Amino acid sequence: MNAFLKAESAVPVSKIRFNEHIRPILSNACFQCHGPDDKKREADLRLDTFEGATRDLGGYKAILPGSPEKSAIVERILSHDRDEVMPPPKSKKPPITAGEIELLKRWIAQGAPYEGHWAFQPLQNPEPPAVRNTAAVRNPVDRFVLATLESRRIAPSPEADKATLLRRVHLDLTGLPPTPQESEAFLADRSPDAYERVVDALLASPHHGERWGRHWLDQARYADSQGYSVDGQRAMWPYRDWVIRALNADMPFNQFTVEQIAGDLLPNPTKMQRIASAFHRNTMINQEGGTDAEQFRNEAVVDRVNTTGAVWLGLTAGCAQCHSHKYDPLSHQEYFRLFAFFNSGTDVNSTGETVDVLPGELFPAKEAKVPVAQYEAARQRVAKAKQGVAQRRAEWVRGLVAATEPTQWHRPAIGTASSRSGRVPQIQDDGSVLVPKEGTPQDVIEVAFTPDVPRLEAIRLQVLPDPSFNAKFAGTGKDGSFALNELEVLVDGNAKAFDLAVSDLENAKTPLSHALDRDPATAWRLDPAAPASKGSHEAWLVLKEPVAMEGQRVVLRLRHETGAFLFIGKFAVSVAEKAPLLPPDPVLAAAAWKASRDPQTAAQTNDPAFVRAFAKMDRVQAAADFEFACLTKDASPAQVMVMKDLPAPRPTFLHIRGDFLSPDKALGPLKPGTPEVLPALAVEGREATRLDLARWLVDPKNPLTPRVTVNRIWMRYFGQGLVETENDFGTQGTPPTHPELLDWLSRQFIDGGWSMKKLHRIIVTSATYRQSSVVRPELMETDPRNLLLARQNRFRVDAEIVRDSALAASGLLDPTLGGPTVYPPQPEGVYAFTQAAKPWVVSKGGERYRRALYTQFYRSAQHPLTSTFDAPNFSTTCTRRLRSNTPLQALMMANDETFMEMAQAAALRLWTQIPGASPQQDQERVEFAFRAFFNRLPSEKELKRSLEFLAARRVSYAAASEDAKKVVGAYPISGQSTGEAAAWTSFTRALLNTDEFITRE
């Protein structure tokens, strides 16, 4: 329980309320052993329900309503017997206090009325209460807060002064401090609605989406890299820009939710809706060689379930991955019903659906290098041309293969067929080999044979479907796919190189060459979604050096190391003493055999019919490729990963103890579904989809999503939510300090069309928000943690705002919105302790001074600014950043290259703004600096000390010219000595490195 509730439970209460007074006691002390988890429950006693707590246990009841003296729970709590007392000593739980025991007794005496957990109850629509101090009310929010304060005879704090209030609302709504000009205008504006007009302007600012987009990206575990040890770079910035754009446009939160959870499943989804679905492609990807792809696919699905539960429902759903939740009504089965919504994604490791996005497509650049419409038209022309060429070429290849097979290929008798894991491949009557799926999910298959030909120059591998695993496709994967990571040919134990290797049908992203590149992370795959992938296919391997056959043993080794049982289910091997006249791809063949020794090959290649058949197609494709290359030379598109489901869903099984290798086959496949404790998901006659889940999350009947969302928005403005445990709305979380206010705001959120900007406006225009943050002595006694909201809270701004504020104060900030990530300066050696050094070429021009939101973010070693100021690494969702105050933060502000440059630029800005050398102008410059850095004028004491500081620095730098040059750097002040510039740089550097500068009052 929080401090506020403990204090309340110590005072007389006429009516004991279960949710407010009793549930926290039972949850902390009893629910672990006597809660919702059937498998972990002790003594068959359940205390989280009235029925369970009052059932007969063989002559006694844990709770006998109306009779605390006859209730076993009271007897066991008061027992001095170590074997009887509850909670037992071995549980390591603190004993129940005397005050809590008294509350339990009185509650039982009043009939032990239970209530459903407050967070799962339907939203109420409370009326704002009447208050005595109506002069302190600016909107209904204040009535709820004042009613609680007045019940405890506490007065609210006065409104903050105008300068403080302006800086506060600027930082809260845009993440940027007000300019001196904005400050002067506001301070001079005496109209009664001056503040409200500032709020409206800030909500309409394009920088509002950047500020609140950062909060959402924390929850989306957004990063520009894959994660794990390799942590390769990836382009997710179009999703980041989509978030900013959606927030600026005040996209209704229900639409905002649906497009991110299931934008790809909407009818005829737009490109922007598909980009929105990248929310759940922000999961980490393991690029290590030798890893099990199925394991990390499951890890990604688990992350999606846990993230959805945390972001929208405010529940610790991940606790139910291995067993039913100990404290909340979320069972093991229900967890995997949620899992089923996400289990059919096409992404495995770094593969999966992508969308091409051009820089400037979401936020048009000032000087767009390529118009988006022109790019899209060219891209479609290229795709159409390539598709036409591929189709006609495939038709020709199939005819060629059929014509040449009888005379070119010989199928040898397979001597042995084996595997590394012990799986036993079966040699069929026709000489083909059938690979059983049962066994390990990855394996190396070997077949050995002695060719009955005098000379070996080519080998053909045919992949064949079979009714035993799939009558349409040659792979044993659930969708008929296979993944051949490496294909090796050995003659008498010596590996052979290939002059040419082509297949009759290839997926552009996973061609046959991936099986020959000696990289276990890549593979040759066929695309089951393509109709042409059905049936049998083949690959031709032409040896670089033909081998004379004199009884040598040939071994063909097929490495399937991706995992997930993605084997070539059935295959056949043929050999040729002479390479085929033309391999399946005629263009590759023409290049490879241009200098062929065989006259017949040359004649075939130069045949007029052949030339006529392909010259036109090649010219069309070459022209389209050339146009596209020219168009995108200076503006390469980003391939942002988005969601896409398989045509047929994967079956989902409960994982015993959360282990994906231990599916509960006895229980059978689970259908997608939602927790029973919440309103039902209404789907009839079909299996629910991610789109149904998304719409259920924002169904007005679902009380959790609006409560959780409103609470988090409130938290950003006050440093803590109305529910302090913003990430846990379950029974272990803290109850709301102002439950009626939480529900009123949630109802306003829904009835206001799920508008986030309307919600922001309600909060920031309230008198509660506008209070001073000064701590009053009497509040330290009655409410030290400010849970009753008798004042505002003072806290340090987020890491990104530290940098953005410094850029703004120095005049360096480039306000451009969106686009690819940028690379501001960072110290050498950041990647010394990572597996691989990351590219970090410092950006030039305006990109060097972009907002920190746009900085390249590697999970394994983030920019030192963000790690120093408490930004998480985004391996998992982060719903609230924890703040620290460390010496390292001050050292960075004083010595980091970036902040030093900002101090230099700020000094130059002061002289540019107020030129001239006189005491009066020095004072004006100091006053301007205080406005730029703190949005206020200096006090008399501060002004005096600032001028004394400048005078002392002028003297010291006059005697140390080399030191002065280092301090000034690339920002000299025209017409002034280096010592003068260094003195002012030292002054701005001092202002920059103050607590006030990085604190929101």
Side-chain angles (χ1 to χ4, degrees), residues 229-281:
S229 56
V230 174
D231 200 27
Q233 188 172 357
R234 69 185 182 195
M236 293 301 286
W237 60 261
Y239 168 74
R240 175 245 290 155
D241 286 3
W242 180 89
V243 170
I244 296 170
R245 204 167 84 153
L247 293 177
N248 278 338
D250 197 20
M251 179 182 286
F253 186 76
N254 55 352
Q255 180 185 348
F256 186 70
T257 294
V258 168
E259 293 194 7
Q260 290 184 87
I261 295 288
D264 59 305
L265 298 182
L266 289 168
N268 301 312
T270 65
K271 187 174 184 178
M272 292 300 121
Q273 288 168 335
R274 295 183 69 205
I275 292 171
S277 75
F279 174 90
H280 270 320
R281 291 300 304 279

Short mmCIF file of all heavy atoms in Angstrom, two decimals, residues 229-281:
data_model
loop_
_atom_site.label_atom_id
_atom_site.label_comp_id
_atom_site.label_asym_id
_atom_site.label_seq_id
_atom_site.Cartn_x
_atom_site.Cartn_y
_atom_site.Cartn_z
N SER A 229 23.31 -9.27 -29.23
CA SER A 229 24.73 -8.95 -29.27
C SER A 229 25.17 -8.32 -30.58
O SER A 229 26.01 -7.42 -30.60
CB SER A 229 25.57 -10.20 -28.98
OG SER A 229 25.24 -11.22 -29.91
N VAL A 230 24.63 -8.78 -31.70
CA VAL A 230 25.03 -8.20 -32.99
C VAL A 230 24.48 -6.78 -33.12
O VAL A 230 25.17 -5.85 -33.51
CB VAL A 230 24.54 -9.07 -34.16
CG1 VAL A 230 24.83 -8.40 -35.50
CG2 VAL A 230 25.22 -10.44 -34.11
N ASP A 231 23.18 -6.61 -32.79
CA ASP A 231 22.55 -5.28 -32.73
C ASP A 231 22.75 -4.48 -34.01
O ASP A 231 23.14 -3.31 -33.98
CB ASP A 231 23.10 -4.51 -31.53
CG ASP A 231 22.17 -3.37 -31.11
OD1 ASP A 231 20.96 -3.48 -31.35
OD2 ASP A 231 22.67 -2.36 -30.57
N GLY A 232 22.48 -5.11 -35.15
CA GLY A 232 22.64 -4.42 -36.43
C GLY A 232 21.63 -3.30 -36.61
O GLY A 232 20.55 -3.29 -36.01
N GLN A 233 21.98 -2.37 -37.45
CA GLN A 233 21.13 -1.20 -37.69
C GLN A 233 19.90 -1.60 -38.51
O GLN A 233 19.93 -2.51 -39.33
CB GLN A 233 21.92 -0.13 -38.44
CG GLN A 233 21.19 1.19 -38.58
CD GLN A 233 22.09 2.26 -39.17
OE1 GLN A 233 23.27 2.03 -39.41
NE2 GLN A 233 21.55 3.44 -39.42
N ARG A 234 18.79 -0.93 -38.26
CA ARG A 234 17.59 -1.12 -39.08
C ARG A 234 16.85 0.20 -39.19
O ARG A 234 17.05 1.11 -38.38
CB ARG A 234 16.68 -2.19 -38.48
CG ARG A 234 16.00 -1.82 -37.17
CD ARG A 234 15.24 -3.03 -36.64
NE ARG A 234 14.51 -2.78 -35.41
CZ ARG A 234 14.03 -3.73 -34.62
NH1 ARG A 234 14.22 -5.00 -34.95
NH2 ARG A 234 13.38 -3.45 -33.52
N ALA A 235 16.03 0.31 -40.21
CA ALA A 235 15.33 1.57 -40.48
C ALA A 235 13.90 1.48 -39.97
O ALA A 235 13.02 0.98 -40.66
CB ALA A 235 15.35 1.87 -41.98
N MET A 236 13.68 1.97 -38.76
CA MET A 236 12.32 2.03 -38.22
C MET A 236 11.82 3.47 -38.13
O MET A 236 10.71 3.71 -37.64
CB MET A 236 12.27 1.37 -36.84
CG MET A 236 12.52 -0.13 -36.85
SD MET A 236 11.35 -1.06 -37.85
CE MET A 236 9.90 -1.02 -36.81
N TRP A 237 12.62 4.42 -38.58
CA TRP A 237 12.24 5.83 -38.42
C TRP A 237 10.91 6.19 -39.08
O TRP A 237 10.23 7.12 -38.60
CB TRP A 237 13.36 6.76 -38.89
CG TRP A 237 13.75 6.62 -40.34
CD1 TRP A 237 14.80 5.93 -40.85
CD2 TRP A 237 13.10 7.21 -41.47
NE1 TRP A 237 14.84 6.02 -42.21
CE2 TRP A 237 13.81 6.81 -42.63
CE3 TRP A 237 11.98 8.03 -41.62
CZ2 TRP A 237 13.43 7.21 -43.91
CZ3 TRP A 237 11.59 8.43 -42.90
CH2 TRP A 237 12.31 8.01 -44.02
N PRO A 238 10.47 5.53 -40.16
CA PRO A 238 9.14 5.89 -40.68
C PRO A 238 8.03 5.66 -39.66
O PRO A 238 7.05 6.41 -39.61
CB PRO A 238 8.98 4.99 -41.91
CG PRO A 238 10.38 4.74 -42.37
CD PRO A 238 11.17 4.61 -41.09
N TYR A 239 8.18 4.61 -38.83
CA TYR A 239 7.18 4.41 -37.76
C TYR A 239 7.24 5.56 -36.77
O TYR A 239 6.19 6.07 -36.33
CB TYR A 239 7.42 3.09 -37.05
CG TYR A 239 6.61 2.98 -35.77
CD1 TYR A 239 5.24 2.76 -35.82
CD2 TYR A 239 7.21 3.16 -34.53
CE1 TYR A 239 4.48 2.71 -34.65
CE2 TYR A 239 6.47 3.11 -33.36
CZ TYR A 239 5.11 2.89 -33.43
OH TYR A 239 4.37 2.87 -32.27
N ARG A 240 8.44 5.96 -36.38
CA ARG A 240 8.58 7.11 -35.47
C ARG A 240 7.89 8.34 -36.04
O ARG A 240 7.16 9.05 -35.35
CB ARG A 240 10.06 7.38 -35.21
CG ARG A 240 10.35 8.61 -34.39
CD ARG A 240 11.09 9.64 -35.25
NE ARG A 240 12.44 9.20 -35.54
CZ ARG A 240 13.13 9.61 -36.61
NH1 ARG A 240 12.57 10.41 -37.51
NH2 ARG A 240 14.36 9.18 -36.82
N ASP A 241 8.09 8.59 -37.33
CA ASP A 241 7.46 9.74 -37.96
C ASP A 241 5.95 9.60 -38.02
O ASP A 241 5.20 10.58 -37.91
CB ASP A 241 8.03 9.94 -39.37
CG ASP A 241 9.44 10.50 -39.34
OD1 ASP A 241 9.99 10.67 -38.24
OD2 ASP A 241 10.00 10.78 -40.42
N TRP A 242 5.47 8.36 -38.21
CA TRP A 242 4.02 8.14 -38.22
C TRP A 242 3.42 8.52 -36.87
O TRP A 242 2.35 9.15 -36.81
CB TRP A 242 3.71 6.67 -38.52
CG TRP A 242 2.24 6.40 -38.53
CD1 TRP A 242 1.39 6.49 -39.59
CD2 TRP A 242 1.43 6.04 -37.39
NE1 TRP A 242 0.10 6.19 -39.19
CE2 TRP A 242 0.09 5.91 -37.86
CE3 TRP A 242 1.70 5.80 -36.06
CZ2 TRP A 242 -0.96 5.57 -37.01
CZ3 TRP A 242 0.65 5.46 -35.21
CH2 TRP A 242 -0.67 5.35 -35.69
N VAL A 243 4.10 8.16 -35.79
CA VAL A 243 3.61 8.49 -34.45
C VAL A 243 3.53 10.01 -34.28
O VAL A 243 2.51 10.54 -33.81
CB VAL A 243 4.52 7.87 -33.37
CG1 VAL A 243 4.17 8.42 -31.99
CG2 VAL A 243 4.41 6.36 -33.38
N ILE A 244 4.58 10.71 -34.66
CA ILE A 244 4.60 12.17 -34.53
C ILE A 244 3.45 12.78 -35.34
O ILE A 244 2.72 13.66 -34.87
CB ILE A 244 5.95 12.75 -35.01
CG1 ILE A 244 7.09 12.24 -34.11
CG2 ILE A 244 5.92 14.27 -35.02
CD1 ILE A 244 8.47 12.56 -34.63
N ARG A 245 3.30 12.30 -36.57
CA ARG A 245 2.26 12.84 -37.45
C ARG A 245 0.86 12.58 -36.89
O ARG A 245 -0.01 13.45 -36.92
CB ARG A 245 2.40 12.24 -38.85
CG ARG A 245 1.80 13.10 -39.93
CD ARG A 245 2.22 12.62 -41.30
NE ARG A 245 1.39 11.53 -41.78
CZ ARG A 245 1.20 11.27 -43.06
NH1 ARG A 245 1.78 12.02 -43.98
NH2 ARG A 245 0.44 10.27 -43.44
N ALA A 246 0.65 11.37 -36.36
CA ALA A 246 -0.67 11.02 -35.82
C ALA A 246 -1.01 11.88 -34.61
O ALA A 246 -2.14 12.34 -34.45
CB ALA A 246 -0.69 9.54 -35.45
N LEU A 247 -0.02 12.12 -33.73
CA LEU A 247 -0.28 12.92 -32.54
C LEU A 247 -0.51 14.38 -32.91
O LEU A 247 -1.37 15.05 -32.32
CB LEU A 247 0.90 12.80 -31.57
CG LEU A 247 1.08 11.41 -30.95
CD1 LEU A 247 2.31 11.38 -30.06
CD2 LEU A 247 -0.14 10.99 -30.15
N ASN A 248 0.23 14.89 -33.88
CA ASN A 248 0.00 16.26 -34.31
C ASN A 248 -1.39 16.43 -34.91
O ASN A 248 -2.03 17.48 -34.75
CB ASN A 248 1.05 16.69 -35.33
CG ASN A 248 2.35 17.13 -34.68
OD1 ASN A 248 2.36 17.50 -33.50
ND2 ASN A 248 3.45 17.09 -35.41
N ALA A 249 -1.86 15.42 -35.62
CA ALA A 249 -3.19 15.48 -36.24
C ALA A 249 -4.30 15.16 -35.24
O ALA A 249 -5.48 15.17 -35.61
CB ALA A 249 -3.25 14.51 -37.42
N ASP A 250 -3.92 14.87 -33.99
CA ASP A 250 -4.88 14.47 -32.95
C ASP A 250 -5.73 13.29 -33.43
O ASP A 250 -6.95 13.28 -33.29
CB ASP A 250 -5.79 15.64 -32.55
CG ASP A 250 -6.50 15.37 -31.21
OD1 ASP A 250 -6.02 14.51 -30.45
OD2 ASP A 250 -7.52 16.02 -30.95
N MET A 251 -5.05 12.29 -33.99
CA MET A 251 -5.75 11.06 -34.37
C MET A 251 -6.43 10.49 -33.14
O MET A 251 -5.81 10.36 -32.09
CB MET A 251 -4.76 10.04 -34.94
CG MET A 251 -5.40 8.72 -35.32
SD MET A 251 -4.21 7.49 -35.93
CE MET A 251 -3.86 8.14 -37.56
N PRO A 252 -7.73 10.19 -33.22
CA PRO A 252 -8.42 9.61 -32.05
C PRO A 252 -7.67 8.39 -31.53
O PRO A 252 -7.18 7.56 -32.31
CB PRO A 252 -9.79 9.24 -32.61
CG PRO A 252 -10.00 10.16 -33.78
CD PRO A 252 -8.63 10.36 -34.38
N PHE A 253 -7.60 8.28 -30.22
CA PHE A 253 -6.78 7.22 -29.63
C PHE A 253 -7.28 5.83 -30.01
O PHE A 253 -6.48 4.90 -30.11
CB PHE A 253 -6.76 7.36 -28.11
CG PHE A 253 -5.83 6.39 -27.43
CD1 PHE A 253 -4.46 6.60 -27.46
CD2 PHE A 253 -6.31 5.25 -26.80
CE1 PHE A 253 -3.59 5.70 -26.85
CE2 PHE A 253 -5.45 4.35 -26.19
CZ PHE A 253 -4.09 4.58 -26.21
N ASN A 254 -8.58 5.67 -30.23
CA ASN A 254 -9.06 4.35 -30.64
C ASN A 254 -8.55 3.99 -32.04
O ASN A 254 -8.14 2.86 -32.30
CB ASN A 254 -10.59 4.26 -30.57
CG ASN A 254 -11.30 5.34 -31.34
OD1 ASN A 254 -10.68 6.28 -31.85
ND2 ASN A 254 -12.61 5.22 -31.45
N GLN A 255 -8.52 4.98 -32.94
CA GLN A 255 -7.94 4.73 -34.27
C GLN A 255 -6.43 4.55 -34.17
O GLN A 255 -5.85 3.69 -34.84
CB GLN A 255 -8.27 5.90 -35.21
CG GLN A 255 -7.71 5.75 -36.61
CD GLN A 255 -7.96 6.98 -37.47
OE1 GLN A 255 -8.75 7.86 -37.11
NE2 GLN A 255 -7.30 7.05 -38.61
N PHE A 256 -5.79 5.36 -33.34
CA PHE A 256 -4.35 5.28 -33.08
C PHE A 256 -3.98 3.86 -32.63
O PHE A 256 -2.96 3.31 -33.05
CB PHE A 256 -4.02 6.31 -32.00
CG PHE A 256 -2.57 6.50 -31.68
CD1 PHE A 256 -1.70 7.12 -32.56
CD2 PHE A 256 -2.07 6.11 -30.44
CE1 PHE A 256 -0.37 7.33 -32.24
CE2 PHE A 256 -0.74 6.31 -30.11
CZ PHE A 256 0.11 6.93 -31.01
N THR A 257 -4.83 3.28 -31.81
CA THR A 257 -4.60 1.92 -31.32
C THR A 257 -4.80 0.89 -32.41
O THR A 257 -3.95 0.02 -32.63
CB THR A 257 -5.56 1.64 -30.14
OG1 THR A 257 -5.21 2.48 -29.05
CG2 THR A 257 -5.48 0.18 -29.71
N VAL A 258 -5.93 0.96 -33.10
CA VAL A 258 -6.27 -0.05 -34.10
C VAL A 258 -5.22 -0.10 -35.20
O VAL A 258 -4.79 -1.18 -35.63
CB VAL A 258 -7.67 0.23 -34.68
CG1 VAL A 258 -7.92 -0.62 -35.93
CG2 VAL A 258 -8.74 -0.05 -33.64
N GLU A 259 -4.77 1.05 -35.67
CA GLU A 259 -3.82 1.06 -36.78
C GLU A 259 -2.47 0.50 -36.35
O GLU A 259 -1.77 -0.13 -37.16
CB GLU A 259 -3.67 2.48 -37.33
CG GLU A 259 -4.94 2.96 -38.01
CD GLU A 259 -4.74 4.21 -38.85
OE1 GLU A 259 -3.58 4.65 -39.03
OE2 GLU A 259 -5.75 4.75 -39.36
N GLN A 260 -2.09 0.68 -35.10
CA GLN A 260 -0.80 0.14 -34.66
C GLN A 260 -0.86 -1.36 -34.37
O GLN A 260 0.06 -2.09 -34.69
CB GLN A 260 -0.31 0.90 -33.42
CG GLN A 260 0.10 2.32 -33.74
CD GLN A 260 0.68 3.03 -32.53
OE1 GLN A 260 1.86 2.96 -32.27
NE2 GLN A 260 -0.18 3.70 -31.79
N ILE A 261 -1.94 -1.80 -33.78
CA ILE A 261 -2.07 -3.23 -33.47
C ILE A 261 -2.37 -4.03 -34.73
O ILE A 261 -1.85 -5.14 -34.92
CB ILE A 261 -3.18 -3.46 -32.44
CG1 ILE A 261 -2.81 -2.83 -31.09
CG2 ILE A 261 -3.45 -4.96 -32.26
CD1 ILE A 261 -1.72 -3.53 -30.34
N ALA A 262 -3.17 -3.47 -35.65
CA ALA A 262 -3.63 -4.28 -36.79
C ALA A 262 -3.89 -3.44 -38.03
O ALA A 262 -4.81 -3.74 -38.79
CB ALA A 262 -4.90 -5.03 -36.39
N GLY A 263 -3.08 -2.43 -38.27
CA GLY A 263 -3.28 -1.61 -39.47
C GLY A 263 -3.21 -2.42 -40.75
O GLY A 263 -3.89 -2.12 -41.74
N ASP A 264 -2.38 -3.47 -40.74
CA ASP A 264 -2.23 -4.30 -41.93
C ASP A 264 -3.47 -5.14 -42.22
O ASP A 264 -3.65 -5.63 -43.35
CB ASP A 264 -1.03 -5.23 -41.78
CG ASP A 264 -1.15 -6.13 -40.55
OD1 ASP A 264 -1.36 -5.59 -39.45
OD2 ASP A 264 -1.05 -7.36 -40.70
N LEU A 265 -4.34 -5.33 -41.22
CA LEU A 265 -5.52 -6.16 -41.40
C LEU A 265 -6.78 -5.36 -41.72
O LEU A 265 -7.85 -5.95 -41.92
CB LEU A 265 -5.77 -7.00 -40.13
CG LEU A 265 -4.66 -7.99 -39.74
CD1 LEU A 265 -5.07 -8.76 -38.50
CD2 LEU A 265 -4.35 -8.93 -40.88
N LEU A 266 -6.66 -4.05 -41.76
CA LEU A 266 -7.81 -3.23 -42.13
C LEU A 266 -8.18 -3.49 -43.59
O LEU A 266 -7.31 -3.84 -44.40
CB LEU A 266 -7.50 -1.75 -41.92
CG LEU A 266 -7.39 -1.30 -40.45
CD1 LEU A 266 -6.80 0.10 -40.38
CD2 LEU A 266 -8.76 -1.32 -39.78
N PRO A 267 -9.43 -3.30 -43.97
CA PRO A 267 -9.80 -3.47 -45.38
C PRO A 267 -9.03 -2.48 -46.27
O PRO A 267 -9.03 -1.28 -46.00
CB PRO A 267 -11.31 -3.17 -45.38
CG PRO A 267 -11.75 -3.35 -43.97
CD PRO A 267 -10.58 -2.97 -43.11
N ASN A 268 -8.35 -3.00 -47.27
CA ASN A 268 -7.56 -2.17 -48.19
C ASN A 268 -6.69 -1.17 -47.42
O ASN A 268 -6.84 0.05 -47.56
CB ASN A 268 -8.48 -1.41 -49.16
CG ASN A 268 -9.34 -2.35 -49.98
OD1 ASN A 268 -8.85 -3.33 -50.54
ND2 ASN A 268 -10.64 -2.07 -50.02
N PRO A 269 -5.79 -1.66 -46.59
CA PRO A 269 -5.01 -0.74 -45.75
C PRO A 269 -4.16 0.20 -46.59
O PRO A 269 -3.59 -0.18 -47.61
CB PRO A 269 -4.13 -1.69 -44.93
CG PRO A 269 -4.02 -2.93 -45.75
CD PRO A 269 -5.35 -3.06 -46.44
N THR A 270 -4.08 1.44 -46.15
CA THR A 270 -3.22 2.41 -46.81
C THR A 270 -1.78 2.16 -46.41
O THR A 270 -1.49 1.41 -45.46
CB THR A 270 -3.60 3.84 -46.41
OG1 THR A 270 -3.33 4.00 -44.99
CG2 THR A 270 -5.07 4.12 -46.67
N LYS A 271 -0.88 2.79 -47.11
CA LYS A 271 0.54 2.65 -46.78
C LYS A 271 0.80 3.13 -45.36
O LYS A 271 1.57 2.52 -44.60
CB LYS A 271 1.38 3.43 -47.79
CG LYS A 271 2.88 3.23 -47.64
CD LYS A 271 3.60 3.92 -48.78
CE LYS A 271 5.10 3.66 -48.72
NZ LYS A 271 5.80 4.29 -49.86
N MET A 272 0.17 4.24 -44.96
CA MET A 272 0.37 4.77 -43.62
C MET A 272 -0.14 3.80 -42.55
O MET A 272 0.46 3.65 -41.49
CB MET A 272 -0.32 6.12 -43.48
CG MET A 272 0.29 7.23 -44.30
SD MET A 272 2.03 7.55 -43.87
CE MET A 272 2.84 7.26 -45.43
N GLN A 273 -1.25 3.14 -42.82
CA GLN A 273 -1.77 2.18 -41.85
C GLN A 273 -0.87 0.97 -41.72
O GLN A 273 -0.72 0.41 -40.63
CB GLN A 273 -3.19 1.76 -42.26
CG GLN A 273 -4.22 2.86 -42.06
CD GLN A 273 -5.55 2.55 -42.71
OE1 GLN A 273 -5.63 1.79 -43.68
NE2 GLN A 273 -6.61 3.14 -42.19
N ARG A 274 -0.25 0.58 -42.81
CA ARG A 274 0.71 -0.53 -42.74
C ARG A 274 1.95 -0.11 -41.96
O ARG A 274 2.50 -0.88 -41.16
CB ARG A 274 1.08 -0.99 -44.15
CG ARG A 274 -0.08 -1.59 -44.92
CD ARG A 274 0.36 -2.09 -46.27
NE ARG A 274 1.22 -3.25 -46.13
CZ ARG A 274 2.13 -3.63 -47.04
NH1 ARG A 274 2.32 -2.91 -48.13
NH2 ARG A 274 2.86 -4.70 -46.83
N ILE A 275 2.40 1.13 -42.16
CA ILE A 275 3.55 1.64 -41.39
C ILE A 275 3.21 1.66 -39.91
O ILE A 275 4.04 1.34 -39.06
CB ILE A 275 3.96 3.04 -41.89
CG1 ILE A 275 4.53 2.94 -43.31
CG2 ILE A 275 4.96 3.69 -40.94
CD1 ILE A 275 4.77 4.29 -43.96
N ALA A 276 1.96 2.03 -39.58
CA ALA A 276 1.55 2.06 -38.18
C ALA A 276 1.71 0.71 -37.51
O ALA A 276 2.06 0.61 -36.32
CB ALA A 276 0.10 2.53 -38.07
N SER A 277 1.50 -0.36 -38.26
CA SER A 277 1.59 -1.71 -37.68
C SER A 277 3.01 -2.07 -37.29
O SER A 277 3.23 -3.11 -36.65
CB SER A 277 1.05 -2.75 -38.67
OG SER A 277 1.97 -3.00 -39.73
N ALA A 278 3.99 -1.24 -37.61
CA ALA A 278 5.37 -1.49 -37.19
C ALA A 278 5.51 -1.43 -35.67
O ALA A 278 6.56 -1.82 -35.14
CB ALA A 278 6.31 -0.47 -37.84
N PHE A 279 4.47 -0.97 -34.98
CA PHE A 279 4.51 -0.96 -33.51
C PHE A 279 5.00 -2.30 -32.97
O PHE A 279 5.83 -2.36 -32.06
CB PHE A 279 3.12 -0.64 -32.95
CG PHE A 279 3.02 -0.74 -31.45
CD1 PHE A 279 3.29 0.37 -30.66
CD2 PHE A 279 2.67 -1.93 -30.82
CE1 PHE A 279 3.22 0.29 -29.28
CE2 PHE A 279 2.60 -2.03 -29.44
CZ PHE A 279 2.87 -0.91 -28.66
N HIS A 280 4.48 -3.39 -33.53
CA HIS A 280 4.85 -4.70 -33.02
C HIS A 280 5.98 -5.35 -33.81
O HIS A 280 6.28 -6.53 -33.61
CB HIS A 280 3.64 -5.63 -32.97
CG HIS A 280 2.91 -5.56 -31.67
ND1 HIS A 280 3.54 -5.48 -30.44
CD2 HIS A 280 1.57 -5.56 -31.37
CE1 HIS A 280 2.65 -5.43 -29.47
NE2 HIS A 280 1.45 -5.48 -30.00
N ARG A 281 6.63 -4.58 -34.73
CA ARG A 281 7.87 -5.06 -35.32
C ARG A 281 9.07 -4.42 -34.63
O ARG A 281 10.22 -4.62 -35.06
CB ARG A 281 7.92 -4.77 -36.83
CG ARG A 281 6.94 -5.58 -37.68
CD ARG A 281 7.14 -7.09 -37.59
NE ARG A 281 8.48 -7.55 -37.92
CZ ARG A 281 8.93 -7.72 -39.16
NH1 ARG A 281 8.15 -7.48 -40.20
NH2 ARG A 281 10.15 -8.15 -39.38
#
